[in-house]
Every structure is written in C-alpha cells, then in structure tokens.
C-alpha cells in the first residue's frame, strides 16, 4: 500500500462536501444514566456517535456514495453490484438510487428478509446467492458479464475515505477523547475513523472490537498479514466478513492501539442496556462497542472520556426481541 493511497484529512474534508447532500450528519449524545453509572462509576463520560440514524440505516452509505461518485459516465451507465448480508446491500441500493445508477446486489441466503426488502425498496435488483464465497463468485460473474462496477463492502480507498468523514464528525462533535471504541468487521469502518482520530486526537487511544466468532482482524494483527477464517459464527452478522484484506488491514494496523473480542452473550447484554436506558433498538454489531466498554475495558477506561461508534441498526422488531429474549433465557 502506497502512502499516497491513504486518505488525508483534506481528502476527508473534500469527501464530506461531496456527499453532504446525501447523508445525515449524525449526532453525538452523552450517555448519562443510572444503569451506565452502576457499571462504570459516575466519573466515566461516554459519548455515543449515533450513526444508526444515518440514511439507509448504517455508516455504509458514506463509502457507497463515494464509490459511485468516482465512476465515469460510461461506468455509471453500466451500473453497480455488491455483496452483502445486509447493510452494505442496503447502502449501495440507496446510493445508486440517489445518484441515478442501476444496482444489482447479491445477498447471502442467511440475510434477514427485512434487509432484503429494504434493498429492494431502494430500487435494486436483489439476487440471493448462497453463502459468502458463493456470493462473491456470483458478483464477479456479474461484473464480467454485465460490465458493472463492484462496490466493495469493506476494503479500498473509497470505503476508508467514506468512514473518514464519520471520523471527522465525531472528532469535531465530541471534543477531546481519551479513548475511542470502534466495531470491527472487515475493517472498513475502523480504518477511516481510526485514521482521522489518530491525526486529530493523537493522545486518544483507539480500540477495535470484534465478535469472538468473527475475529479475522485480530488473527491478522497476530500474523502480521491478512488472514481468512474457516468459519464465522456470531449474531453480529454485520461484523462477520470471513477475511481481512490488505488495504483496510494496513490502515487498521497502523492506527488501532488495541484489538479485543466480545462474546455474543456480552453483545446481547449490551443491546439490552442500550434499549433499556438509551431507548435504542440496535442490531448486534452496533452494541459491540458498548459490550467492550462495560466488559473487558471497564477498569482500564474508568473515569475516562470515551467515544463509541454505534454503527447502524438495520434490524426488524421480531429479530431484536428474539435476541433480547435469548439473553434472558
């Protein structure tokens, strides 16, 4: 990866201007409440970046928009394709509709029907393609046969540049932070947010959080190069890519201070805490940062000023209720 391929702060500010008409500047909210104070103590300050209020329901809209905006007229005319279990497909479908481009997205057979319906509601053609590897193979064939541009779900310059715009927002909105906690799947979110945070808040310690059953980035850090998982098993399917890839891995490795994992049970408990006290109905991926804070990072970050990225919430009421019911059983 060449240094000139890494987005600068000026690049991120330019990207903010490019997508400003198509996204929400999502709020940062200080979490104050009895339940949180009981777990962390009264002196710990927690700032939630509420990216679940983003258009299309997650941070993914930022990179999808930049990916399509980068196309020339001929490429736009041929359309785009994508692979996703949910959030990325919805984001690409939204971005394509907003920019007047045709989208054909491939979704895994395990995708929640509500997410499939959301992608179709934005006008995309949805193809159900089996498991992750089968979906990627199908998308490659669509690119070859139809000339569509593949919009990657978590790796590449436009993905990182998109999430860098989120990083700018939280740095400007939250004020100085001692720590920033970011959910990690393939590393697209963490790469851009951590890259900006380390430049604008160099004393802020950046933590990445993965599900125990989808720890490809942790294994990649340990090995010193991107790794692939034989199996992914987690309720946080938005954090479940089976591999890390060079671009996002390299930026994450350079800017994340510490990676840790949390269990599915811890994620369910964090979902319940966010629902009970903040009245936020989040998907499992969006609760990973909270799970880390009230769990393995509780003592280390006591009394600190902490930011957490609440990355999205494309979840239907029944699935949310079922996951909380499993936590209680």
């Amino acid at each position: 990866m060449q240094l000139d391929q890494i987005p600068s702060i000026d690049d991120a500010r330019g990207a903010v201007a490019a997508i400003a008409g198509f996204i929400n500047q999502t709020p940062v909210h200080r979490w104050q409440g009895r339940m949180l104070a009981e777990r962390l103590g009264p002196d710990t300050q927690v700032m939630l970046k509420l990216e679940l209020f983003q258009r299309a329901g997650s941070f993914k809209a930022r990179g999808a928009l930049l990916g399509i905006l980068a196309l020339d007229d001929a490429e736009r005319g041929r359309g785009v394709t994508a692979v996703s279990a949910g959030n990325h497909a919805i984001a690409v479908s939204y971005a394509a509709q907003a920019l007047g481009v045709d989208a054909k997205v491939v979704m895994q057979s395990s995708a929640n029907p509500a997410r499939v319906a959301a992608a179709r509601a934005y006008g995309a053609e949805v193809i159900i393609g089996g498991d992750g590897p089968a979906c990627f193979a199908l998308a490659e064939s669509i690119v070859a046969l139809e000339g569509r541009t593949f919009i990657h779900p978590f790796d590449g310059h436009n993905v990182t540049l998109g999430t860098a715009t989120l990083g700018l927002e939280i740095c400007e909105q939250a004020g100085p932070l001692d720590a920033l906690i970011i959910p990690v799947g393939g590393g697209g979110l963490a790469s851009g947010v951590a890259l900006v945070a380390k430049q604008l808040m160099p004393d802020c310690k950046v933590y990445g959080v993965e599900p125990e059953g989808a720890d490809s980035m942790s294994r990649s850090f340990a090995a010193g190069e991107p790794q692939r998982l034989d199996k992914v098993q987690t309720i946080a399917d938005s954090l479940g890519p089976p591999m890390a890839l060079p671009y996002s891995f390299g930026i994450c490795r350079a800017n994340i201070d510490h990676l840790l994992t949390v269990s599915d049970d811890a994620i369910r408990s964090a979902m319940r805490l966010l629902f009970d006290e903040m009245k936020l109905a989040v998907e499992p991926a969006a609760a990973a940062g909270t799970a880390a804070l009230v769990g393995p990072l509780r003592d280390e970050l006591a009394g600190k000023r902490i930011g957490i990225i609440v990355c999205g919430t494309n979840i239907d009421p029944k699935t949310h209720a079922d996951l909380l019911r499993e936590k209680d059983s």
Side-chain angles (χ1 to χ4, degrees):
M1 180 170 58
Q2 300 296 316
L3 290 177
D4 61 1
Q5 295 176 317
I6 300 175
S8 67
I9 295 295
D10 285 343
D11 291 334
R13 292 192 172 114
V16 168
I19 63 176
F22 304 105
I23 66 160
N24 301 326
Q25 185 180 75
T26 55
V28 167
H29 180 84
R30 182 174 174 189
W31 184 354
Q32 294 176 288
R34 173 186 57 82
M35 296 177 184
L36 187 70
E38 287 175 350
R39 290 163 174 80
L40 303 179
D43 298 326
T44 305
Q45 299 179 49
V46 179
M47 315 297 289
L48 299 179
K49 175 60 171 168
L50 298 174
E51 191 67 3
L52 78 166
F53 295 144
Q54 189 53 262
R55 299 188 201 184
S58 80
F59 74 93
K60 295 275 191 179
R62 298 171 184 264
L65 286 161
L66 288 172
I68 295 175
L69 285 169
L71 303 180
D72 61 30
D73 289 343
E75 290 167 330
R76 290 192 184 200
R78 292 191 293 270
V80 297
T81 189
V83 172
S84 173
N87 286 343
H88 182 61
I90 298 168
V92 170
S93 301
Y94 160 71
Q97 183 186 72
L99 297 172
V101 173
D102 186 72
K104 180 184 285 188
V105 297
V106 182
M107 300 185 72
Q108 295 176 27
S109 55
S110 59
N112 186 293
R115 292 178 172 182
V116 175
R120 286 181 172 143
Y122 283 118
E125 179 182 350
V126 177
I127 299 174
I128 304 301
D131 62 10
C135 286
F136 273 95
L138 181 54
E140 288 173 3
S141 70
I142 290 171
V143 170
L145 293 171
E146 301 181 22
R148 293 176 182 268
T149 298
F150 181 67
I151 307 297
H152 202 281
F154 61 85
D155 196 62
H157 178 84
N158 287 318
V159 174
T160 295
L161 185 57
T163 57
T165 67
L166 194 164
L168 279 178
E169 285 182 19
I170 190 170
C171 289
E172 293 167 355
Q173 294 168 315
L177 297 171
D178 298 307
L180 180 59
I181 305 174
I182 311 169
V184 176
L189 172 61
S191 63
V193 175
L195 179 68
V196 170
K198 278 299 183 183
Q199 293 180 70
L200 296 184
M201 298 187 296
D203 294 330
C204 176
K205 193 168 185 180
V206 176
Y207 296 84
V209 184
E210 293 182 293
E212 288 180 352
D215 61 344
S216 61
M217 192 63 74
S218 294
R219 296 189 188 200
S220 299
F221 272 35
E225 60 184 6
Q227 299 293 299
R228 178 179 292 270
L229 301 176
D230 294 328
K231 180 176 69 173
V232 171
Q233 188 169 0
T234 177
I235 61 171
D237 54 352
S238 299
L239 301 180
M243 81 290 274
L245 291 175
Y247 188 90
S248 53
F249 163 74
I251 297 177
C252 285
R253 193 181 189 201
N255 294 282
I256 292 177
D257 295 294
H258 182 60
L259 270 174
L260 62 150
T261 61
V262 290
S263 69
D264 281 359
D265 284 344
I267 290 173
R268 289 189 188 93
S269 294
M271 289 174 65
R272 169 55 63 85
L273 179 60
L274 285 161
F275 183 79
D276 286 346
E277 186 147 84
M278 288 298 296
K279 313 307 176 190
L280 296 175
V282 303
E283 64 175 273
T290 298
L293 177 60
V294 300
L297 295 178
R298 180 180 56 194
D299 294 337
E300 183 175 343
L301 297 183
K304 304 291 187 182
R305 183 176 171 85
I306 304 145
I308 301 178
I309 306 296
V310 184
C311 54
T313 187
N314 284 308
I315 192 168
D316 63 282
K318 181 180 184 301
T319 301
H320 186 264
D322 288 346
L323 287 168
L324 295 191
R325 191 174 299 114
E326 290 174 17
K327 183 261 175 189
D328 291 333
S329 62

